[in-house]
Amino acid sequence: MLILNCSSKLRLLEGTLRRSLPDTLLVYGTVMTINRGNPAAQEVLVDSWPEFKVILTRPRREVALDDSDLYTNTYTVYYRDLGAYRALLTSAGAVNWGQSFRIFGLQDGVYEACKDFAEAKGIELEVLRHFTCLHPDPSSMPEIQLDPAMRLSSLDVSHADLLNEKWSFGGNEKSRKYLATLIRHFPSICLLDAAGHPVSWIASYPFGAMGPAYTLHEHRRRSYMVMLTNLLAKRLHALGYPSYGYVDVENYPMQRLQESQGFQRLPNLWYFILHNPVPGKAPTLTPRPAPGTAPALDSALRLSSLDISHADLLNETRPFLGTEQGWRYLANLICRFSSFFLLDA
Protein backbone atom coordinates (compact mmCIF):
# COMPACT_ATOMS: atom_id res chain seq x y z
CA MET A 1 0.00 0.00 0.00
CA LEU A 2 1.37 3.40 -1.03
CA ILE A 3 0.06 6.87 -0.22
CA LEU A 4 0.56 9.25 -3.15
CA ASN A 5 1.65 12.62 -1.78
CA CYS A 6 3.71 13.87 -4.72
CA SER A 7 1.85 16.53 -6.72
CA SER A 8 3.39 15.41 -10.02
CA LYS A 9 2.29 11.80 -9.39
CA LEU A 10 -1.22 12.97 -8.52
CA ARG A 11 -1.43 14.98 -11.73
CA LEU A 12 -0.23 11.97 -13.69
CA LEU A 13 -2.83 9.82 -11.93
CA GLU A 14 -5.56 12.30 -12.86
CA GLY A 15 -4.69 11.94 -16.53
CA THR A 16 -4.56 8.15 -16.27
CA LEU A 17 -7.99 8.01 -14.63
CA ARG A 18 -9.45 10.38 -17.22
CA ARG A 19 -8.61 7.89 -19.94
CA SER A 20 -10.66 5.20 -18.16
CA LEU A 21 -13.84 7.23 -17.68
CA PRO A 22 -16.65 6.60 -16.87
CA ASP A 23 -15.63 3.59 -14.76
CA THR A 24 -13.25 5.79 -12.76
CA LEU A 25 -15.71 8.67 -12.16
CA LEU A 26 -15.65 8.58 -8.35
CA VAL A 27 -11.89 8.33 -7.83
CA TYR A 28 -11.23 10.67 -10.76
CA GLY A 29 -13.46 13.36 -9.25
CA THR A 30 -11.76 12.96 -5.88
CA VAL A 31 -8.26 13.18 -7.37
CA MET A 32 -9.31 16.29 -9.31
CA THR A 33 -10.45 17.88 -6.05
CA ILE A 34 -7.18 16.92 -4.32
CA ASN A 35 -5.20 18.51 -7.15
CA ARG A 36 -7.23 21.73 -6.84
CA GLY A 37 -6.58 22.57 -3.22
CA ASN A 38 -7.93 19.47 -1.46
CA PRO A 39 -10.54 21.27 0.67
CA ALA A 40 -11.93 17.98 2.01
CA ALA A 41 -8.45 16.76 3.07
CA GLN A 42 -8.50 13.52 1.07
CA GLU A 43 -5.60 11.21 0.20
CA VAL A 44 -4.94 8.51 -2.39
CA LEU A 45 -3.77 4.94 -1.79
CA VAL A 46 -2.56 2.56 -4.50
CA ASP A 47 -1.22 -0.97 -4.34
CA SER A 48 1.79 -0.02 -6.50
CA TRP A 49 3.10 2.81 -8.67
CA PRO A 50 3.11 3.74 -11.48
CA GLU A 51 1.35 0.56 -12.58
CA PHE A 52 -1.51 0.12 -10.12
CA LYS A 53 -4.27 -2.46 -9.86
CA VAL A 54 -6.44 -0.71 -7.28
CA ILE A 55 -6.89 2.86 -6.08
CA LEU A 56 -8.63 3.95 -2.89
CA THR A 57 -9.35 7.50 -1.75
CA ARG A 58 -10.05 8.27 1.89
CA PRO A 59 -9.98 11.17 4.38
CA ARG A 60 -6.66 12.02 5.92
CA ARG A 61 -6.18 10.78 9.46
CA GLU A 62 -6.27 14.29 10.91
CA VAL A 63 -9.87 14.81 9.72
CA ALA A 64 -11.13 11.24 10.29
CA LEU A 65 -11.04 11.68 14.07
CA ASP A 66 -14.66 10.84 14.86
CA ASP A 67 -15.14 7.07 14.65
CA SER A 68 -18.92 7.47 14.31
CA ASP A 69 -18.88 10.08 11.50
CA LEU A 70 -19.75 8.05 8.41
CA TYR A 71 -20.14 11.23 6.33
CA THR A 72 -16.56 12.41 6.71
CA ASN A 73 -15.26 8.83 6.70
CA THR A 74 -16.00 8.24 3.02
CA TYR A 75 -13.91 6.10 0.67
CA THR A 76 -14.09 5.80 -3.11
CA VAL A 77 -12.57 2.86 -4.97
CA TYR A 78 -11.67 1.71 -8.46
CA TYR A 79 -9.89 -1.52 -9.29
CA ARG A 80 -8.33 -3.10 -12.36
CA ASP A 81 -7.87 -6.39 -10.55
CA LEU A 82 -10.48 -7.61 -8.07
CA GLY A 83 -7.91 -9.67 -6.19
CA ALA A 84 -5.84 -6.55 -5.55
CA TYR A 85 -8.90 -4.81 -4.12
CA ARG A 86 -9.64 -7.76 -1.84
CA ALA A 87 -6.04 -7.67 -0.63
CA LEU A 88 -6.26 -3.92 0.01
CA LEU A 89 -9.38 -4.36 2.15
CA THR A 90 -7.53 -6.72 4.46
CA SER A 91 -4.19 -4.89 4.54
CA ALA A 92 -3.31 -3.11 7.76
CA GLY A 93 -4.12 0.58 7.76
CA ALA A 94 -5.92 0.85 4.41
CA VAL A 95 -9.51 0.83 5.72
CA ASN A 96 -10.28 1.63 9.34
CA TRP A 97 -12.75 -1.11 10.27
CA GLY A 98 -13.03 0.36 13.76
CA GLN A 99 -14.92 3.34 12.34
CA SER A 100 -18.29 3.92 10.77
CA PHE A 101 -17.65 4.65 7.10
CA ARG A 102 -19.05 4.65 3.59
CA ILE A 103 -17.42 3.06 0.55
CA PHE A 104 -18.61 4.25 -2.87
CA GLY A 105 -17.87 2.33 -6.04
CA LEU A 106 -19.21 1.75 -9.55
CA GLN A 107 -18.11 -1.88 -9.98
CA ASP A 108 -20.01 -4.96 -8.79
CA GLY A 109 -16.88 -6.34 -7.18
CA VAL A 110 -16.66 -3.37 -4.82
CA TYR A 111 -19.66 -4.68 -2.94
CA GLU A 112 -18.91 -8.38 -3.42
CA ALA A 113 -15.42 -8.06 -1.93
CA CYS A 114 -16.67 -6.01 1.03
CA LYS A 115 -19.48 -8.49 1.66
CA ASP A 116 -17.14 -11.50 1.58
CA PHE A 117 -14.67 -9.85 3.94
CA ALA A 118 -17.43 -8.75 6.31
CA GLU A 119 -19.04 -12.21 6.40
CA ALA A 120 -15.68 -13.81 7.18
CA LYS A 121 -15.17 -11.41 10.09
CA GLY A 122 -18.77 -11.46 11.33
CA ILE A 123 -19.24 -7.79 10.38
CA GLU A 124 -22.58 -6.36 9.27
CA LEU A 125 -22.78 -4.12 6.21
CA GLU A 126 -25.62 -2.14 4.69
CA VAL A 127 -25.71 -1.54 0.94
CA LEU A 128 -27.76 0.78 -1.24
CA ARG A 129 -27.68 0.74 -5.02
CA HIS A 130 -28.34 3.77 -7.22
CA PHE A 131 -28.30 4.54 -10.91
CA THR A 132 -25.36 6.62 -12.16
CA CYS A 133 -26.10 9.35 -14.70
CA LEU A 134 -23.51 11.22 -16.78
CA HIS A 135 -23.98 14.09 -19.22
CA PRO A 136 -21.77 13.63 -22.30
CA ASP A 137 -21.58 17.35 -23.17
CA PRO A 138 -23.08 19.91 -20.74
CA SER A 139 -22.08 22.77 -23.06
CA SER A 140 -24.83 21.55 -25.42
CA MET A 141 -27.53 21.90 -22.77
CA PRO A 142 -30.09 24.60 -23.66
CA GLU A 143 -30.13 28.04 -22.12
CA ILE A 144 -32.70 28.47 -19.39
CA GLN A 145 -35.14 31.21 -18.46
CA LEU A 146 -35.12 32.22 -14.82
CA ASP A 147 -38.34 32.76 -12.90
CA PRO A 148 -38.50 36.55 -12.32
CA ALA A 149 -39.99 35.93 -8.87
CA MET A 150 -36.85 34.06 -7.81
CA ARG A 151 -33.23 35.06 -7.34
CA LEU A 152 -30.38 32.79 -8.34
CA SER A 153 -27.62 32.36 -5.75
CA SER A 154 -25.16 29.94 -4.21
CA LEU A 155 -25.97 28.16 -0.98
CA ASP A 156 -24.75 29.77 2.23
CA VAL A 157 -23.63 27.91 5.34
CA SER A 158 -26.66 29.41 7.12
CA HIS A 159 -28.77 27.12 4.90
CA ALA A 160 -27.18 23.95 6.31
CA ASP A 161 -29.99 23.37 8.82
CA LEU A 162 -32.61 23.43 6.05
CA LEU A 163 -30.61 21.07 3.85
CA ASN A 164 -30.08 18.74 6.79
CA GLU A 165 -33.81 18.67 7.49
CA LYS A 166 -34.69 17.80 3.89
CA TRP A 167 -31.79 15.49 2.94
CA SER A 168 -32.89 11.84 2.98
CA PHE A 169 -29.54 10.85 4.53
CA GLY A 170 -29.51 13.73 7.00
CA GLY A 171 -31.33 14.72 10.16
CA ASN A 172 -28.43 14.55 12.63
CA GLU A 173 -25.59 16.78 13.77
CA LYS A 174 -22.89 14.93 11.81
CA SER A 175 -24.84 15.23 8.57
CA ARG A 176 -25.40 18.95 9.25
CA LYS A 177 -21.63 19.50 9.62
CA TYR A 178 -21.00 17.51 6.45
CA LEU A 179 -23.50 19.57 4.48
CA ALA A 180 -21.95 22.78 5.84
CA THR A 181 -18.59 21.56 4.51
CA LEU A 182 -20.10 20.92 1.07
CA ILE A 183 -21.61 24.40 1.04
CA ARG A 184 -18.33 26.07 2.07
CA HIS A 185 -16.01 24.33 -0.35
CA PHE A 186 -17.89 22.99 -3.39
CA PRO A 187 -20.10 24.43 -6.13
CA SER A 188 -23.79 24.87 -5.33
CA ILE A 189 -26.78 26.73 -6.76
CA CYS A 190 -30.12 27.67 -5.23
CA LEU A 191 -33.20 29.72 -5.90
CA LEU A 192 -34.21 32.26 -3.27
CA ASP A 193 -37.71 33.65 -2.83
CA ALA A 194 -38.49 37.32 -2.22
CA ALA A 195 -37.66 36.89 1.47
CA GLY A 196 -34.24 35.41 0.66
CA HIS A 197 -35.16 31.84 1.68
CA PRO A 198 -34.04 28.88 -0.45
CA VAL A 199 -36.91 27.09 -2.20
CA SER A 200 -34.85 24.79 -4.47
CA TRP A 201 -31.18 23.85 -4.37
CA ILE A 202 -28.45 21.52 -5.56
CA ALA A 203 -24.94 21.11 -4.13
CA SER A 204 -21.95 18.94 -5.07
CA TYR A 205 -19.68 16.41 -3.37
CA PRO A 206 -15.90 16.13 -2.82
CA PHE A 207 -15.82 13.43 -5.52
CA GLY A 208 -17.23 15.83 -8.08
CA ALA A 209 -20.79 14.49 -8.29
CA MET A 210 -23.92 16.61 -8.21
CA GLY A 211 -26.20 16.48 -5.15
CA PRO A 212 -27.79 16.75 -2.60
CA ALA A 213 -30.77 18.35 -4.35
CA TYR A 214 -34.26 19.28 -3.20
CA THR A 215 -37.25 21.51 -4.01
CA LEU A 216 -39.74 22.45 -1.30
CA HIS A 217 -43.09 20.74 -1.93
CA GLU A 218 -45.04 23.96 -2.35
CA HIS A 219 -42.66 25.06 -5.13
CA ARG A 220 -42.63 21.88 -7.18
CA ARG A 221 -43.89 21.44 -10.76
CA ARG A 222 -42.23 24.70 -11.79
CA SER A 223 -39.11 23.14 -13.39
CA TYR A 224 -36.82 24.62 -10.75
CA MET A 225 -34.74 21.46 -10.49
CA VAL A 226 -34.38 21.33 -14.28
CA MET A 227 -33.02 24.85 -14.10
CA LEU A 228 -30.56 24.15 -11.27
CA THR A 229 -29.33 20.84 -12.69
CA ASN A 230 -28.66 22.57 -15.99
CA LEU A 231 -26.67 25.36 -14.34
CA LEU A 232 -24.64 23.15 -12.00
CA ALA A 233 -23.78 20.69 -14.78
CA LYS A 234 -22.43 23.57 -16.85
CA ARG A 235 -20.52 25.01 -13.90
CA LEU A 236 -18.84 21.69 -13.07
CA HIS A 237 -18.05 21.18 -16.75
CA ALA A 238 -16.44 24.64 -16.91
CA LEU A 239 -14.26 23.65 -13.94
CA GLY A 240 -13.14 20.53 -15.81
CA TYR A 241 -15.23 18.00 -13.88
CA PRO A 242 -17.50 15.40 -15.44
CA SER A 243 -21.15 16.31 -14.91
CA TYR A 244 -22.57 13.27 -13.17
CA GLY A 245 -24.60 12.14 -10.20
CA TYR A 246 -26.65 9.35 -8.73
CA VAL A 247 -30.38 8.81 -8.50
CA ASP A 248 -32.39 6.39 -6.41
CA VAL A 249 -33.73 3.50 -8.46
CA GLU A 250 -37.23 4.39 -7.23
CA ASN A 251 -37.00 8.13 -7.88
CA TYR A 252 -38.75 8.13 -11.23
CA PRO A 253 -39.37 11.93 -11.40
CA MET A 254 -35.63 12.64 -11.04
CA GLN A 255 -34.79 9.92 -13.55
CA ARG A 256 -37.16 11.52 -16.09
CA LEU A 257 -35.72 14.95 -15.32
CA GLN A 258 -32.18 13.76 -15.95
CA GLU A 259 -33.15 12.02 -19.18
CA SER A 260 -34.91 15.17 -20.40
CA GLN A 261 -31.69 17.10 -19.78
CA GLY A 262 -29.59 14.69 -21.82
CA PHE A 263 -28.01 12.70 -18.99
CA GLN A 264 -27.22 9.10 -19.87
CA ARG A 265 -27.67 6.24 -17.44
CA LEU A 266 -24.50 4.20 -17.09
CA PRO A 267 -24.72 0.40 -17.07
CA ASN A 268 -22.90 0.17 -13.73
CA LEU A 269 -24.77 0.67 -10.49
CA TRP A 270 -23.45 3.06 -7.86
CA TYR A 271 -22.87 1.11 -4.62
CA PHE A 272 -23.22 2.83 -1.24
CA ILE A 273 -21.70 0.47 1.32
CA LEU A 274 -22.08 1.37 5.00
CA HIS A 275 -20.04 -0.11 7.82
CA ASN A 276 -21.16 0.68 11.35
CA PRO A 277 -19.21 -1.23 14.02
CA VAL A 278 -21.42 0.00 16.86
CA PRO A 279 -25.11 -0.24 15.85
CA GLY A 280 -27.13 2.58 17.31
CA LYS A 281 -24.08 4.82 17.81
CA ALA A 282 -23.88 6.13 14.25
CA PRO A 283 -26.57 7.32 11.83
CA THR A 284 -27.87 4.87 9.27
CA LEU A 285 -27.33 5.32 5.56
CA THR A 286 -30.87 4.14 4.83
CA PRO A 287 -33.00 7.05 3.59
CA ARG A 288 -35.83 8.07 5.87
CA PRO A 289 -38.96 6.41 4.42
CA ALA A 290 -42.10 8.24 3.52
CA PRO A 291 -44.96 7.55 5.95
CA GLY A 292 -47.01 4.52 4.91
CA THR A 293 -50.68 4.81 4.07
CA ALA A 294 -51.74 1.15 4.04
CA PRO A 295 -53.92 -0.01 6.97
CA ALA A 296 -52.73 -2.84 9.20
CA LEU A 297 -54.51 -6.15 8.85
CA ASP A 298 -53.39 -7.35 12.24
CA SER A 299 -52.50 -5.44 15.37
CA ALA A 300 -49.05 -7.06 15.32
CA LEU A 301 -48.42 -6.60 11.59
CA ARG A 302 -48.36 -3.80 9.05
CA LEU A 303 -49.19 -4.08 5.33
CA SER A 304 -46.81 -2.34 2.96
CA SER A 305 -45.25 -2.52 -0.50
CA LEU A 306 -41.80 -3.86 -1.15
CA ASP A 307 -39.07 -1.29 -1.70
CA ILE A 308 -35.60 -1.59 -3.14
CA SER A 309 -34.03 -2.18 0.28
CA HIS A 310 -35.80 -5.59 0.39
CA ALA A 311 -34.12 -6.88 -2.78
CA ASP A 312 -31.27 -8.45 -0.81
CA LEU A 313 -33.67 -10.50 1.31
CA LEU A 314 -35.68 -11.65 -1.69
CA ASN A 315 -32.52 -12.54 -3.56
CA GLU A 316 -31.26 -14.56 -0.61
CA THR A 317 -34.45 -16.60 -0.18
CA ARG A 318 -35.64 -16.97 -3.80
CA PRO A 319 -34.74 -20.28 -5.51
CA PHE A 320 -32.52 -20.06 -8.61
CA LEU A 321 -31.24 -16.61 -7.64
CA GLY A 322 -28.73 -15.48 -5.02
CA THR A 323 -26.49 -13.68 -7.52
CA GLU A 324 -25.95 -10.03 -8.43
CA GLN A 325 -27.91 -10.63 -11.64
CA GLY A 326 -30.70 -12.09 -9.52
CA TRP A 327 -30.67 -8.98 -7.34
CA ARG A 328 -31.02 -6.73 -10.38
CA TYR A 329 -33.93 -8.81 -11.69
CA LEU A 330 -35.77 -8.60 -8.36
CA ALA A 331 -35.00 -4.90 -7.98
CA ASN A 332 -36.57 -4.31 -11.40
CA LEU A 333 -39.71 -6.19 -10.31
CA ILE A 334 -39.96 -4.18 -7.11
CA CYS A 335 -39.47 -0.86 -8.87
CA ARG A 336 -41.85 -1.42 -11.76
CA PHE A 337 -44.61 -3.74 -10.55
CA SER A 338 -47.07 -3.91 -7.68
CA SER A 339 -46.17 -5.85 -4.56
CA PHE A 340 -47.34 -6.37 -0.99
CA PHE A 341 -45.83 -7.77 2.17
CA LEU A 342 -46.35 -7.81 5.93
CA LEU A 343 -44.00 -6.09 8.35
CA ASP A 344 -43.63 -7.33 11.90
CA ALA A 345 -43.20 -5.11 14.94
Side-chain angles (χ1 to χ4, degrees):
M1 178 186 72
L2 302 173
I3 298 177
L4 293 187
N5 292 318
C6 174
S7 59
S8 60
K9 291 180 180 179
L10 288 168
R11 288 194 297 270
L12 179 61
L13 176 62
E14 181 180 327
T16 300
L17 295 173
R18 185 186 304 116
R19 291 190 290 273
S20 296
L21 289 171
D23 291 341
T24 58
L25 272 170
L26 290 167
V27 293
Y28 174 67
T30 305
V31 171
M32 282 193 68
T33 299
I34 291 173
N35 288 339
R36 288 153 181 78
N38 200 12
Q42 302 285 300
E43 63 184 11
V44 176
L45 284 74
V46 293
D47 62 316
S48 59
W49 184 261
E51 296 298 324
F52 63 89
K53 296 178 181 178
V54 61
I55 175 172
L56 185 79
T57 72
R58 69 182 187 187
R60 288 179 175 172
R61 296 307 190 203
E62 61 265 28
V63 298
L65 299 176
D66 186 343
D67 288 345
S68 64
D69 186 357
L70 65 90
Y71 302 95
T72 299
N73 304 334
T74 296
Y75 299 73
T76 67
V77 64
Y78 166 74
Y79 62 82
R80 292 169 170 170
D81 180 270
L82 181 56
Y85 173 52
R86 291 182 183 274
L88 188 66
L89 284 177
T90 60
S91 64
V95 176
N96 187 348
W97 291 92
Q99 291 185 326
S100 294
F101 61 74
R102 303 180 296 177
I103 294 180
F104 293 161
L106 301 180
Q107 297 161 287
D108 290 346
V110 171
Y111 169 58
E112 296 297 335
C114 282
K115 182 185 69 170
D116 292 345
F117 177 80
E119 288 177 351
K121 297 293 184 180
I123 298 170
E124 291 189 5
L125 295 177
E126 180 181 354
V127 60
L128 297 175
R129 299 164 176 88
H130 291 74
F131 293 134
T132 311
C133 298
L134 171 70
H135 202 292
D137 182 16
S139 64
S140 67
M141 298 175 76
E143 295 298 318
I144 60 167
Q145 297 294 322
L146 294 177
D147 185 335
M150 297 292 166
R151 180 164 61 89
L152 194 66
S153 180
S154 296
L155 287 166
D156 182 85
V157 72
S158 64
H159 303 140
D161 286 331
L162 176 61
L163 268 68
N164 192 37
E165 176 187 344
K166 301 301 182 183
W167 192 31
S168 58
F169 299 128
N172 59 80
E173 181 58 24
K174 291 179 175 59
S175 59
R176 189 199 68 78
K177 290 181 179 180
Y178 179 72
L179 291 166
T181 298
L182 299 187
I183 292 169
R184 285 191 185 98
H185 297 298
F186 301 100
S188 66
I189 302 178
C190 68
L191 287 174
L192 304 177
D193 62 16
H197 300 140
V199 300
S200 184
W201 58 83
I202 184 168
S204 55
Y205 292 104
F207 37 89
M210 296 189 294
Y214 192 85
T215 299
L216 299 180
H217 286 279
E218 59 270 28
H219 292 277
R220 293 184 177 180
R221 297 187 178 277
R222 302 178 189 179
S223 298
Y224 289 163
M225 191 53 62
V226 171
M227 192 182 309
L228 297 185
T229 301
N230 178 302
L231 292 172
L232 186 59
K234 290 177 179 176
R235 180 177 297 183
L236 290 170
H237 179 69
L239 293 171
Y241 287 87
S243 296
Y244 78 105
Y246 65 86
V247 58
D248 191 286
V249 295
E250 292 183 299
N251 191 344
Y252 305 120
M254 182 57 77
Q255 292 172 29
R256 290 192 293 270
L257 182 153
Q258 290 179 329
E259 290 172 1
S260 71
Q261 291 285 289
F263 284 84
Q264 298 174 358
R265 184 187 300 175
L266 302 183
N268 294 348
L269 290 171
W270 182 323
Y271 290 90
F272 287 42
I273 302 164
L274 168 68
H275 170 250
N276 178 14
V278 187
K281 296 297 184 180
T284 177
L285 189 64
T286 304
R288 289 169 288 178
T293 57
L297 300 180
D298 184 289
S299 58
L301 299 175
R302 181 164 62 88
L303 185 67
S304 183
S305 297
L306 290 166
D307 66 50
I308 197 67
S309 67
H310 302 131
D312 283 322
L313 177 61
L314 270 65
N315 193 34
E316 176 185 341
T317 56
R318 182 74 170 87
F320 311 116
L321 297 176
T323 64
E324 184 62 27
Q325 289 78 12
W327 183 93
R328 292 177 189 237
Y329 173 73
L330 291 167
N332 183 64
L333 297 185
I334 292 171
C335 292
R336 302 188 180 280
F337 300 97
S338 299
S339 63
F340 294 98
F341 77 113
L342 291 174
L343 286 170
D344 61 19

